[in-house]
Amino acid sequence: AMEEDEPELAAGLEAALELAPAVQAAIEQVFPSQDPLDRADFNAVEYINTLFPTEQALEEAQKAIQQLFGKIKDIKDKAEKSEQMVKDITRDIKQLDHAKRHLTTSITTLNHLHMLAGGVDSLEAMTRRRQYGEVANLLQGVVNVLEHFNKYMGIPQIRQLSERVKAAQNELGQQILADFEEAFPSQGTKRPGGPSNVLRDACLVANVLDPRIKQEIIKKFIKQHLSEYLVLFQENQDVAWLDKIDRRYAWIKRQLVDYEEKYGRMFPQEWCMTERIAVEFCHVTRTELSKIMRTRAKEIEVKLLLFAIQRTTNFEGLLAKRFSGCTLGDGTVKKPEVPPPSTNPFLEDEAGTETDEIVIEKSDAEKPKKPKAPDNPFHGIVSKCFEPHLYVYIESQDKNLSELIDRFVADFKAQGPPKPNVDEGGAVLPSCADLFVYYKKCMVQCSQLSTGEPMIALTTIFQKYLREYAWKILSGNLPKTTSSSSGLTITSLLKEKEGSEVAKFTLEELCLICSILSTAEYCLATTQQLEEKLKEKVDASLVERINLTGETDTFSIVISNSIQLLVQDLDAACDPALTAMSKMQWQNVEHVGDQSPYVTSVILHIKQNVPIIRDNLASTRKYFTQFCIKFANSFIPKFINHLFKCKPISMVGAEQLLLDTHSLKMVLLDLPSIGSQVVRKAPASYTRIVVKGMTRAEMILKVVMAPHEPPVVFVDNYIKLLADCSTDTFQKILDMKGLKRSEQSSMLDLFRQRLPAPPSGAESTGSLSLSTPTPEQESSRIRKLEKLIKKRL
């Protein structure tokens, strides 16, 4: 079957390969060709018959192919022979190259050996004659040549030369040390420095020898050079104490000048001998000072300590200007850590403005910062010894700050409260600026002494007196409130005239409260900046221990108490008027007139107090806004409570109350800018409180004015207007309308029936409106919070 399908498959392939005449013509036009294979009618059989017309032609072609294969084989064989010949030639060339290389190496090695042998002989001879100048150059060359023979150390002769070189080096080292010992003896009187030219060349030789030789020379020379210092400033000498510390630094300055003149050229410049002498002097001085201060610790006074530290840090600064610190090894002295970038808005030049007042301005953050001076590598190299005794300084600052607080208290009592200031805003007590100026001076001074534990101890002292300032100077001088006014009658309240004194606090007392509030606000902001500055000064490992949150909370409490006093004062001044409102016979009012006398009285007290408070809090607008909000939150609920006490109320009386309520609402909305020539829009948060509270009062009066017949309409109207599900409030509305108990009972039953279903978990008698805490509750919470913080502190 497969054989039968083959002709059909072949026919199909031929049909698939046939192209249309137009396509074929296009191909021939693009790719013209005379090759028979490219023709469209190409026939393989005819093409083969054309090439090989007979069997003989075919045999001749096969013979030609066999001859061609034979020639190819001959060419391949010749190529293999040529390749072998090339390998033989290159092998000979490589052997010649190896021979040449070995010959060159041998000649070079022999030359090096000759040089090494001659150099060793010369080295031994020069060593005996102390020709250090020639030895310095020759020894380095011999050592370099000897390195070429490291792989030949198995040869006895080479090993012998190496041992001779080492012996010569050892001999040179011992000889040079002996020469220096002779020129600069460790014991006995100091003698002139011998043949300096010989010793100068010896130092050049020491550079090539074992580094221990150089270190020994340096050590012995510096020890001999400072031997006089240890004798002059022994612990039992008078000049050894801190009050004469300048003499130590004057001595080393003279010694360094003397060294430069006599021995400056003897030692190589790269040895940095002048710096090494100064550094060793610092180490010795730190040890000696630590020893003598431990012995005489009871004699250390703060002025003496600060004097010694100042002179020492000045000397360390002088060293930094003169030397690079390249000889300070690891562990010699810890370099000061670079503090993080400052975010403090009042960066100042600490060196030039230590006693300037800390000024808090937003624009300070935009001022360009002064470039930070490079670190002093010698910082603490001597002054580190004073750190264990800085408790004397901390105790002194504790005492000074205690006296400063006592002076602030005495000055306040002697000078009295600050004068009223209604033109430029409330005056900040000058004592707070003095306190923070002193704080800054102490902080800068202590950070120059140490950035470790003493800074933490100073921070603790700062915290202590910040709290004392808050309680003794600020809270301690706030005017005390008295009990509710006595001896006031309704008649006197209603006849109250403009200018009469009803407010509990005088003008001076109001200004004092505002001044204390402004001072507390200044202290709060400056304390936060002080905390940031302390964190910049202290070591990075101690930053987490700097925390003045408790102190800022204390100043926040003073601010809150001050605002509460202002609110209570104005609130108490309005109380008699509200009491008069609740005592009036509203059922007897026959016509609606202008605002009632009690409204005039409330407005009078608002106009008396608020402008004074606003002007004295001009620099702290946010706290004046808090005062307005707290007063509104206190006055409005109290006004509504007194409104419920007005019963019974006639229709005309309700209309008069509604008019009075609207008048009070307008006054409260205008309260932030009342009496001010510059009219400002009240804060939205304050406006929402007033509108919400006084609208509720208006809704209460509108419900009272509504007829209670039919009852269903009245109850639904109440629920719609007040959205209050409390039966107590509804009971008060019925009392204001003057309904009898029997009528009220049926009304209450109907009210309970018409109430909407309470939310899940809520009580049926609950109120949908948010309850506002009374001033008494607010004051009680503040007093409890204050007691808790005092107890914790």
Side-chain angles (χ1 to χ4, degrees):
M2 293 179 61
E3 292 176 355
E4 293 177 356
D5 292 339
E6 287 181 0
E8 296 179 0
L9 179 60
L13 290 174
E14 291 178 359
L17 292 175
E18 290 181 0
L19 301 176
V23 175
Q24 186 64 38
I27 293 175
E28 291 177 355
Q29 185 178 0
V30 176
F31 302 106
S33 176
Q34 299 298 327
D35 193 339
L37 297 175
D38 294 332
R39 293 177 58 183
D41 55 349
F42 173 75
N43 190 314
V45 176
E46 293 180 359
Y47 182 72
I48 294 174
N49 291 334
T50 303
L51 292 177
F52 307 103
T54 62
E55 293 182 0
Q56 184 180 359
L58 187 57
E59 292 176 355
E60 291 176 356
Q62 291 177 349
K63 291 180 181 179
I65 292 173
Q66 291 177 355
Q67 292 174 357
L68 179 61
F69 273 110
K71 291 180 179 180
I72 292 174
K73 188 176 183 300
D74 292 340
I75 293 173
K76 182 179 180 183
D77 293 339
K78 291 179 180 180
E80 290 177 352
K81 292 179 180 180
S82 298
E83 182 180 0
Q84 184 62 38
M85 186 183 299
V86 170
K87 288 182 179 179
D88 294 339
I89 294 173
T90 54
R91 182 175 61 251
D92 295 338
I93 294 174
K94 286 181 180 179
Q95 290 178 350
L96 291 175
D97 287 342
H98 286 308
K100 179 182 178 182
R101 189 180 304 111
H102 291 160
L103 181 60
T104 303
T105 303
S106 300
I107 294 173
T108 304
T109 303
L110 288 174
N111 288 334
H112 285 165
L113 182 61
H114 176 72
M115 293 169 57
L116 179 61
V120 171
D121 293 337
S122 300
L123 181 63
E124 291 173 342
M126 292 177 182
T127 299
R128 288 190 295 271
R129 294 192 296 269
R130 283 183 166 77
Q131 295 176 337
Y132 296 134
E134 292 80 0
V135 168
N137 295 325
L138 178 61
L139 179 59
Q140 184 63 57
V142 169
V143 171
N144 292 338
V145 171
L146 188 60
E147 291 178 357
H148 294 284
F149 292 93
N150 287 336
K151 55 186 176 180
Y152 303 119
M153 286 301 170
I155 302 175
Q157 291 80 359
I158 301 299
R159 185 169 59 252
Q160 183 180 5
L161 287 174
S162 176
E163 291 173 353
R164 288 175 62 188
V165 171
K166 290 180 181 179
Q169 288 177 322
N170 293 333
E171 183 179 355
L172 277 171
Q174 298 300 323
Q175 188 171 297
I176 291 173
L177 289 176
D179 291 343
F180 270 93
E181 179 65 26
E182 181 181 357
F184 306 102
S186 300
Q187 298 179 352
T189 58
K190 181 179 179 182
R191 302 187 313 196
S196 59
N197 290 335
V198 173
L199 295 180
R200 182 184 63 236
D201 294 340
C203 291
L204 298 177
V205 176
N207 270 337
V208 186
L209 297 174
D210 191 328
R212 289 176 294 182
I213 302 299
K214 170 184 171 182
Q215 294 170 2
E216 187 68 20
I217 293 173
I218 293 173
K219 179 181 178 181
K220 287 187 175 182
F221 179 82
I222 294 177
K223 182 179 180 181
Q224 191 275 338
H225 216 68
L226 295 179
S227 59
E228 179 185 349
Y229 172 71
L230 293 173
V231 175
L232 292 176
F233 293 90
Q234 286 183 9
E235 187 176 348
N236 57 357
Q237 298 295 323
D238 183 57
V239 294
W241 190 229
L242 300 180
D243 58 343
K244 295 181 178 60
I245 198 170
D246 280 340
R247 297 191 182 183
R248 294 177 180 267
Y249 304 132
W251 183 89
I252 189 60
K253 291 176 185 176
R254 292 194 303 269
Q255 291 300 311
L256 293 179
V257 172
D258 180 70
Y259 165 81
E260 291 287 350
E261 292 176 354
K262 293 183 179 180
Y263 310 108
R265 298 181 180 179
M266 189 173 73
F267 293 98
Q269 186 176 1
E270 64 269 18
W271 285 22
C272 302
M273 285 298 293
T274 309
E275 179 177 326
R276 291 181 184 276
I277 294 172
V279 169
E280 183 61 24
F281 166 82
C282 292
H283 294 327
V284 172
T285 302
R286 185 177 70 245
T287 302
E288 293 298 315
L289 287 176
S290 298
K291 187 189 305 180
I292 193 172
M293 283 192 292
R294 282 196 302 269
T295 305
R296 305 171 62 177
K298 295 182 179 180
E299 301 178 35
I300 300 177
E301 298 177 354
V302 64
K303 290 184 179 179
L304 179 62
L305 181 65
L306 292 179
F307 167 79
I309 293 175
Q310 182 184 12
R311 293 296 189 269
T312 301
T313 53
N314 290 344
F315 175 70
E316 292 172 348
L318 184 64
L319 292 179
K321 294 178 181 178
R322 175 67 177 81
F323 305 116
S324 64
C326 61
T327 63
L328 295 173
D330 294 338
T332 302
V333 62
K334 180 182 178 182
K335 294 187 178 181
E337 297 181 1
V338 179
S342 173
T343 56
N344 195 315
F346 55 95
L347 278 178
E348 299 178 15
D349 185 3
E350 297 173 355
T353 59
E354 290 182 2
T355 58
D356 294 343
E357 179 179 354
I358 297 176
V359 181
I360 305 172
E361 296 179 358
K362 294 182 180 178
S363 60
D364 286 351
E366 302 172 1
K367 295 180 181 178
K369 305 297 186 297
K370 297 186 178 181
K372 180 177 173 60
D375 292 333
N376 179 2
F378 297 93
H379 175 72
I381 191 171
V382 179
S383 57
K384 196 76 173 177
C385 66
F386 298 111
E387 188 165 319
H389 303 277
L390 284 179
Y391 68 89
V392 177
Y393 172 78
I394 301 300
E395 291 174 355
S396 172
Q397 298 309 319
D398 189 1
K399 180 181 177 182
N400 292 343
L401 283 169
S402 177
E403 294 174 353
L404 189 64
I405 294 295
D406 292 340
R407 179 167 65 82
F408 289 161
V409 174
D411 290 347
F412 192 94
K413 292 180 179 178
Q415 299 173 6
K419 302 300 180 183
N421 186 359
V422 296
D423 296 326
E424 300 179 1
V428 175
L429 297 180
S431 59
C432 75
D434 295 340
L435 178 67
F436 282 103
V437 166
Y438 190 82
Y439 271 13
K440 181 180 181 183
K441 180 181 178 181
C442 294
M443 176 182 64
V444 173
Q445 195 174 48
C446 187
S447 65
Q448 292 174 347
L449 307 180
S450 171
T451 56
E453 287 295 335
M455 282 292 288
I456 301 299
L458 184 67
T459 301
T460 303
I461 299 297
F462 284 175
Q463 291 175 299
K464 173 183 175 182
Y465 289 102
L466 283 174
R467 294 192 295 268
E468 285 203 12
Y469 185 84
W471 298 126
K472 291 184 177 181
I473 308 300
L474 300 182
S475 292
N477 288 306
L478 282 173
K480 302 298 186 292
T481 57
T482 58
S483 58
S484 58
S485 57
S486 59
L488 297 177
T489 63
I490 302 301
T491 304
S492 65
L493 290 173
L494 292 176
K495 293 181 179 179
E496 178 180 313
K497 296 181 179 180
E498 184 176 358
S500 61
E501 296 294 334
V502 177
K504 295 181 181 180
F505 293 143
T506 63
L507 172 62
E508 289 75 12
E509 289 175 329
L510 287 177
C511 293
L512 173 60
I513 295 173
C514 293
S515 179
I516 290 176
L517 191 155
S518 300
T519 303
E521 192 267 344
Y522 175 90
C523 291
L524 188 150
T526 312
T527 299
Q528 292 172 339
Q529 296 170 355
L530 174 66
E531 179 179 355
E532 294 300 319
K533 199 67 175 178
L534 286 168
K535 290 181 177 179
E536 292 177 14
K537 298 290 184 183
V538 79
D539 290 342
S541 60
L542 302 176
V543 168
E544 296 299 326
R545 295 172 61 182
I546 304 291
N547 188 350
L548 303 184
T549 304
E551 288 61 46
T552 56
D553 291 344
T554 301
F555 289 116
S556 297
I557 291 174
V558 176
I559 293 172
S560 179
N561 289 346
S562 301
I563 294 175
Q564 193 61 35
L565 279 178
L566 296 174
V567 171
Q568 289 177 357
D569 178 64
L570 182 56
D571 208 23
C574 297
D575 277 348
L578 296 180
T579 302
M581 176 191 76
S582 62
K583 297 299 183 181
M584 289 181 63
Q585 302 297 321
W586 293 102
Q587 74 275 18
N588 297 330
V589 177
E590 297 179 353
H591 61 276
V592 179
D594 294 334
Q595 62 188 27
S596 301
Y598 76 89
V599 176
T600 304
S601 175
V602 171
I603 295 174
L604 174 63
H605 290 301
I606 289 176
K607 288 183 176 180
Q608 285 177 344
N609 282 30
V610 173
I612 297 173
I613 297 171
R614 181 183 59 244
D615 293 340
N616 279 274
L617 295 181
S619 60
T620 55
R621 295 289 304 177
K622 63 179 181 179
Y623 294 118
F624 174 69
T625 301
Q626 288 187 21
F627 159 76
C628 294
I629 291 174
K630 286 191 174 183
F631 174 72
N633 281 329
S634 174
F635 176 80
I636 294 175
K638 185 179 292 186
F639 172 74
I640 292 176
N641 289 336
H642 281 80
L643 201 61
F644 283 134
K645 296 178 182 179
C646 298
K647 55 185 178 180
I649 304 176
S650 63
M651 178 65 69
V652 177
E655 292 177 355
Q656 180 65 50
L657 278 172
L658 186 60
L659 175 64
D660 294 341
T661 301
H662 182 73
S663 299
L664 287 174
K665 179 180 180 180
M666 292 298 102
V667 170
L668 290 175
L669 288 173
D670 190 44
L671 184 139
S673 60
I674 194 168
S676 174
Q677 296 179 354
V678 180
V679 179
R680 292 184 179 180
K681 186 178 180 181
S685 57
Y686 170 77
T687 302
R688 285 195 298 269
I689 292 172
V690 173
V691 170
K692 180 179 178 181
M694 296 306 290
T695 300
R696 174 175 169 78
E698 291 174 341
M699 293 299 104
I700 290 173
L701 292 172
K702 288 181 180 180
V703 172
V704 172
M705 294 170 59
H708 59 279
E709 295 291 345
V712 175
V713 176
F714 175 78
V715 170
D716 290 344
N717 190 38
Y718 166 84
I719 295 174
K720 178 181 179 181
L721 291 177
L722 288 183
D724 190 342
C725 297
S726 172
T727 55
D728 293 337
T729 304
F730 187 68
Q731 178 76 53
K732 293 176 182 178
I733 296 291
L734 298 180
D735 290 339
M736 293 174 70
K737 291 181 69 66
L739 296 181
K740 298 178 181 180
R741 289 299 175 183
S742 59
E743 294 177 313
Q744 290 186 15
S745 178
S746 59
M747 280 285 191
L748 286 171
D749 293 339
L750 181 60
F751 173 73
R752 294 187 182 95
Q753 296 174 6
R754 305 291 293 181
L755 279 178
S760 177
E763 297 181 1
S764 60
T765 57
S767 174
L768 295 178
S769 60
L770 296 175
S771 61
T772 305
T774 64
E776 292 77 9
Q777 294 172 335
E778 183 74 17
S779 177
S780 176
R781 286 204 298 267
I782 291 175
R783 285 195 297 270
K784 290 180 181 178
L785 178 61
E786 182 177 341
K787 289 180 180 178
L788 286 174
I789 293 181
K790 282 184 177 180
K791 183 178 180 181
R792 181 171 67 85
L793 295 178

